[in-house]
Amino acid sequence: MQISTSVPYDEERLRRTLRFLANRHMKTSRVLGAVLLVLGIVVIAVDPTSIPGYGFIAGGLALMFAVVPIMVASGVRLQSEVIKQGYHLSLTDEWAQITYPLAETRYRWQGLNQVIETPDAWYAMFGRAQALTIPKQALTPAQRAEFTAFTANLPK
């Protein structure tokens, strides 16, 4: 496989990637949020003047619905200016390489945990929170087919 393409900076793609990573790790927080919400409802049903009950409900709702958007917004805001210039993506049988004007990152496919396909991109997961985003719109149909065939032959 020899795929090479330029990928312009896209804040929405960055947001989708951060949302994808955050959602993978927020299942426990959402369950805890649901537990707090139910606890708050029970406490308020017993005593409608109970301030902690309302605090449980607010905390539960925040854990269920507010944490991921806050994490994504913070992640976008904290990104280095280096990535806002776009990058060059090179994929070979041995390496995945991202080259920014001022930085470069290489991943050996041997260290890959899994490739997750979404409608917009592939996420090559190197660990639980390290994802290389391979945007589908940056690849030609032939390159997409070649990458799909490559990922189908990777060890599971």
Side-chain angles (χ1 to χ4, degrees):
M1 170 179 68
Q2 186 68 37
I3 297 174
S4 183
T5 187
S6 290
V7 181
Y9 175 72
D10 181 355
E11 187 173 306
E12 188 53 39
R13 181 177 47 244
L14 174 62
R15 288 180 184 282
R16 283 192 305 269
T17 299
L18 293 172
R19 202 173 303 117
F20 169 80
L21 290 170
N23 282 329
R24 290 175 54 87
H25 297 285
M26 293 307 297
K27 289 181 175 105
T28 305
S29 293
R30 288 195 174 113
V31 169
L32 179 60
V35 168
L36 283 174
L37 183 63
V38 170
L39 179 63
I41 291 170
V42 168
V43 168
I44 289 174
V46 171
D47 180 10
T49 62
S50 172
I51 293 174
Y54 292 102
F56 290 148
I57 289 175
L61 290 173
L63 282 173
M64 291 173 65
F65 301 110
V67 172
V68 169
I70 290 169
M71 287 175 64
V72 169
S74 175
V76 169
R77 196 172 46 254
L78 294 173
Q79 290 302 310
S80 168
E81 288 298 315
V82 170
I83 74 156
K84 295 182 179 177
Q85 298 172 16
Y87 60 91
H88 186 81
L89 176 66
S90 298
L91 306 171
T92 66
D93 290 333
E94 189 175 354
W95 294 96
Q97 181 173 333
I98 300 172
T99 306
Y100 293 97
L102 298 174
E104 181 176 275
T105 304
R106 290 176 64 182
Y107 300 95
R108 195 167 247 151
W109 290 115
Q110 290 173 335
L112 181 73
N113 288 18
Q114 65 179 332
V115 176
I116 299 170
E117 184 175 2
T118 67
D120 300 322
W122 289 278
Y123 295 104
M125 300 299 297
F126 294 89
R128 291 184 43 169
Q130 181 84 27
L132 167 60
T133 303
I134 302 167
K136 290 182 177 180
Q137 81 273 9
L139 304 179
T140 66
Q143 289 172 326
R144 289 182 202 164
E146 185 178 8
F147 186 72
T148 300
F150 175 76
T151 58
N153 294 323
L154 288 171
K156 302 285 181 203

